[in-house]
């Protein structure tokens, strides 16, 4: 059937057709942005981490007593007792204490630059670099390999007392590969002095600021320093085989780590769960939008069904004439289906505009990528297929009407 004839047919019911087009356009916009948001969250959860999060269990402790965070021998003894107790649990490979954990928000942080950096050089991306204070075995415990230089030893530990004894002492630090390339892109950074210490090694990248963009999420430097020095909050990270993590967690909760007047155990959880919960806002938004998409798609199917059913019920006389003049059942089916495709095609441009406007509004509240309109046509295909499903029953019933029955109104 000529497109011109179909358009004339649609114009006879302008109001209903315009409503359906608006609904399809809104559905396309919501579906498209939901797919963008879902892909963004998937990429966030599956981006390169630099470590296998499923191998680690985190104990987060809040120290209430001053003597647990004053760097005293009693504080160090208490921490050592904790570590020894953890090491003796079956399945534990290693454990160390840290001032922060990876794969989250990257705090504490500080600026870092080479000693001879010109003052006018733009280094805004180096102002909030995660610094990780830990035991000498901290990198080994995390499974982080060195690409250059040497690992930490106990002699690299920085304390208030060590600086008082050696006023000219320079701290030793290890930086991640991405940070090393940013600080010294042309030559090796080994041995160079920064405002945070002398670089003794370059480690493989590990993600600390999970929401940062580009390579900055892998900017971090490490220093050997007691976590009892001044922090109220500290973390024990336990390494084991993924299958043993739940059992180790149960033993820690039962045997050692409980709340007391001196400290609160904020949480004991796998690093994998912590990383996923860190993006709970994003994953919650995805679930909400997927639910909304399902509802919008169902409403669009119902509307397309009602539109087709109402139309063919008003066209029985015309269809009967066509059947009497030799039109086949397949011709009637084509007529209904092509009309559905035409309505979806008219909704395409409004749908693109709607997707763009929804994306702008969502970007005010969520981190979401800009629309890629190459992917939009996949959404359009879903809408067309939904239209086929919706209009199949009215089209099939119409095609079954005998010419004699259809022409009784003549």
């Amino acid at each position: 059937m000529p497109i011109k004839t179909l358009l004339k047919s649609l114009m006879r019911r302008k109001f209903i057709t315009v409503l359906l087009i608006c609904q399809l356009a809104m559905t396309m916009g919501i579906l498209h942005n939901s797919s963008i948001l879902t892909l963004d969250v998937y990429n966030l959860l599956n981006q390169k981490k630099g470590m296998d999060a499923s191998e680690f269990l985190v104990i987060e402790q809040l120290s209430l007593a001053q003597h647990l965070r004053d760097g005293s021998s009693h504080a160090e003894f208490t921490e050592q007792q904790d570590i020894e107790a953890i090491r003796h649990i079956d399945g534990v490979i290693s454990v160390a204490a840290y001032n922060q954990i990876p794969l989250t928000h990257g705090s504490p942080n500080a600026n870092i630059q080479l000693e001879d950096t010109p003052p006018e050089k733009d280094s805004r991306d180096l102002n909030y670099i995660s610094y990780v204070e830990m035991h000498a075995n901290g990198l080994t415990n995390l499974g982080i390999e060195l690409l250059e230089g040497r690992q930490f030893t106990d002699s690299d530990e920085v304390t208030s007392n060590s600086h008082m004894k050696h006023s000219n002492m320079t701290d030793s630090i290890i930086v991640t590969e991405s940070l090393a390339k940013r600080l010294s892109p042309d030559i090796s950074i080994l041995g160079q002095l920064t405002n945070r210490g002398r670089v003794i090694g370059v480690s493989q990248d590990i993600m600390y600021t999970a929401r940062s963009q580009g390579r900055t999420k892998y900017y971090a430097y490490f220093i050997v320093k007691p976590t009892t020095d001044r922090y109220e909050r500290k973390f024990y990270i336990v390494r084991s085989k993924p299958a043993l993590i739940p059992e180790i967690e149960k033993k820690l909760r039962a045997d050692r780590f409980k709340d007391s007047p001196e400290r609160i155990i904020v949480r004991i959880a796998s690093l994998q769960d912590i990383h996923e919960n860190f993006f709970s806002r994003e994953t919650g938004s995805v679930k909400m939008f997927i639910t909304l998409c399902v509802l919008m798609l169902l409403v669009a199917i119902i509307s397309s069904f009602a539109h087709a059913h109402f139309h063919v019920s008003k066209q029985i006389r015309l269809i009967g004439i066509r059947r009497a003049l030799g039109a086949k059942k397949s011709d009637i089916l084509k007529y209904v289906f092509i009309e559905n495709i035409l309505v979806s095609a008219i909704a395409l441009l409004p749908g693109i505009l709607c997707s763009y406007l929804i994306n702008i509004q969502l970007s005010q509240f969520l981190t979401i990528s800009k629309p890629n309109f190459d992917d939009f046509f996949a959404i359009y295909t879903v809408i067309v297929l939904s239209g086929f499903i919706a209009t199949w029953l009215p089209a099939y019933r119409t095609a079954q009407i005998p010419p004699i029955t259809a022409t009784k109104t003549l």
Side-chain angles (χ1 to χ4, degrees):
M1 176 175 289
I3 299 298
K4 186 176 180 181
T5 305
L6 286 171
L7 287 172
K8 285 182 179 180
S9 176
L10 291 174
M11 289 298 290
R12 293 193 194 103
R13 52 191 196 282
K14 295 177 187 176
F15 184 73
I16 296 175
T17 302
V18 169
L19 283 180
L20 180 59
I21 290 171
C22 291
Q23 187 174 46
L24 291 177
M26 283 289 294
T27 303
M28 288 182 198
I30 293 174
L31 283 176
H32 190 208
N33 281 280
S34 297
S35 65
I36 293 172
L37 190 60
T38 301
L39 187 60
D40 284 349
V41 173
Y42 175 82
N43 290 334
L44 278 174
L45 293 174
N46 292 278
Q47 59 191 322
K48 175 188 171 185
K49 301 179 181 69
M51 62 187 299
D52 185 356
S54 64
E55 294 182 352
F56 299 94
L57 185 69
V58 174
I59 305 164
E60 183 177 353
Q61 172 183 305
L62 182 63
S63 301
L64 302 178
Q66 178 62 36
H67 65 264
L68 291 181
R69 57 177 189 271
D70 60 4
S72 65
S73 57
H74 178 75
E76 291 181 8
F77 176 73
T78 302
E79 183 177 277
Q80 193 59 39
Q81 278 188 315
D82 287 341
I83 288 175
E84 286 300 319
I86 295 170
R87 279 177 181 160
H88 285 86
I89 295 176
D90 291 340
V92 171
I93 297 173
S94 60
V95 60
Y98 304 80
N99 70 327
Q100 63 172 298
I101 56 175
L103 312 184
T104 54
H105 46 71
S107 180
N109 54 65
N111 73 312
I112 186 172
Q113 58 186 4
L114 294 180
E115 189 181 41
D116 56 353
T117 301
E120 67 277 5
K121 187 173 182 181
D122 185 5
S123 58
R124 285 173 293 182
D125 60 328
L126 298 175
N127 285 338
Y128 301 98
I129 305 303
S130 300
Y131 66 86
V132 186
E133 297 176 358
M134 57 186 187
H135 293 168
N137 70 324
L139 285 178
T140 305
N141 180 56
L142 294 176
I144 305 303
E145 297 180 0
L146 282 191
L147 304 178
E148 295 182 77
R150 67 172 178 84
Q151 274 284 11
F152 287 125
T153 62
D154 291 336
S155 62
D156 293 312
E157 182 173 279
V158 177
T159 63
S160 301
N161 291 333
S162 63
H163 276 285
M164 289 176 63
K165 292 179 181 178
H166 307 283
S167 57
N168 62 343
M169 179 179 179
T170 302
D171 299 340
S172 298
I173 64 172
I174 292 176
V175 299
T176 58
E177 181 183 14
S178 290
L179 181 58
K181 290 179 179 178
R182 170 63 179 86
L183 290 170
S184 183
D186 301 322
I187 60 174
S188 173
I189 199 173
L190 284 183
Q192 295 196 55
L193 189 63
T194 73
N195 61 328
R196 300 300 169 186
R198 191 172 300 279
V199 179
I200 63 168
V202 177
S203 75
Q204 68 183 60
D205 281 339
I206 178 173
M207 183 172 64
Y208 269 87
T209 50
R211 283 199 175 98
S212 294
Q213 302 298 315
R215 303 301 301 176
T216 57
K217 62 169 62 75
Y218 303 110
Y219 289 1
Y221 70 90
F222 308 92
I223 186 168
V224 180
K225 194 171 185 179
T227 56
T228 57
D229 224 14
R230 63 183 184 277
Y231 290 107
E232 292 183 359
R233 192 178 300 267
K234 71 176 177 182
F235 304 85
Y236 295 112
I237 300 183
V238 184
R239 188 179 185 187
S240 180
K241 293 180 179 179
L244 299 177
I245 291 294
E247 187 62 31
I248 293 173
E249 181 180 348
K250 288 180 183 178
K251 290 181 179 179
L252 287 171
R253 291 181 185 277
D255 300 338
R256 179 78 189 178
F257 287 92
K258 298 178 181 179
D259 291 346
S260 71
E262 294 188 335
R263 69 180 180 185
I264 293 175
I265 303 306
V266 179
R267 60 181 168 181
I268 302 177
S270 71
L271 186 57
Q272 182 74 36
D273 289 341
I274 292 173
H275 177 60
E276 291 176 359
N277 289 336
F278 182 68
F279 293 109
S280 59
R281 184 183 67 179
E282 287 83 354
T283 53
S285 297
V286 166
K287 291 176 182 177
M288 180 186 71
F289 271 92
I290 288 175
T291 303
L292 182 60
C293 284
V294 171
L295 293 175
M296 286 292 293
L297 205 53
L298 285 174
V299 171
I301 290 173
I302 293 169
S303 297
S304 296
F305 172 83
H307 181 268
H309 180 75
F310 176 78
H311 175 51
V312 297
S313 67
K314 297 295 183 180
Q315 297 289 314
I316 291 178
R317 178 183 172 187
L318 181 60
I319 292 169
I321 293 172
R322 288 175 183 158
R323 289 297 311 275
L325 292 175
K328 300 176 181 178
K329 291 182 181 181
S330 59
D331 296 327
I332 304 302
L333 290 172
K334 286 179 185 178
Y335 168 70
V336 180
F337 287 141
I338 292 173
E339 184 182 77
N340 173 72
I341 294 173
L342 182 59
V343 172
S344 300
I346 295 172
L348 181 59
L349 288 178
I352 292 175
L353 178 62
C354 191
S355 178
Y356 183 73
L357 293 175
I358 291 174
N359 189 268
I360 292 175
Q361 291 302 312
L362 286 177
S363 65
Q364 308 299 317
F365 309 99
L366 300 170
T367 302
I368 185 170
S369 300
K370 293 181 179 179
N372 179 354
F373 291 107
D374 291 338
D375 299 335
F376 185 85
F377 292 99
I379 303 300
Y380 175 71
T381 302
V382 172
I383 294 295
V384 172
L385 291 176
S386 299
F388 271 115
I389 294 171
T391 56
W392 180 84
L393 185 58
Y396 176 78
R397 286 181 175 177
T398 303
Q400 302 306 310
I401 297 175
I404 296 175
T405 303
T407 56
K408 282 182 179 178
T409 57
L410 290 175

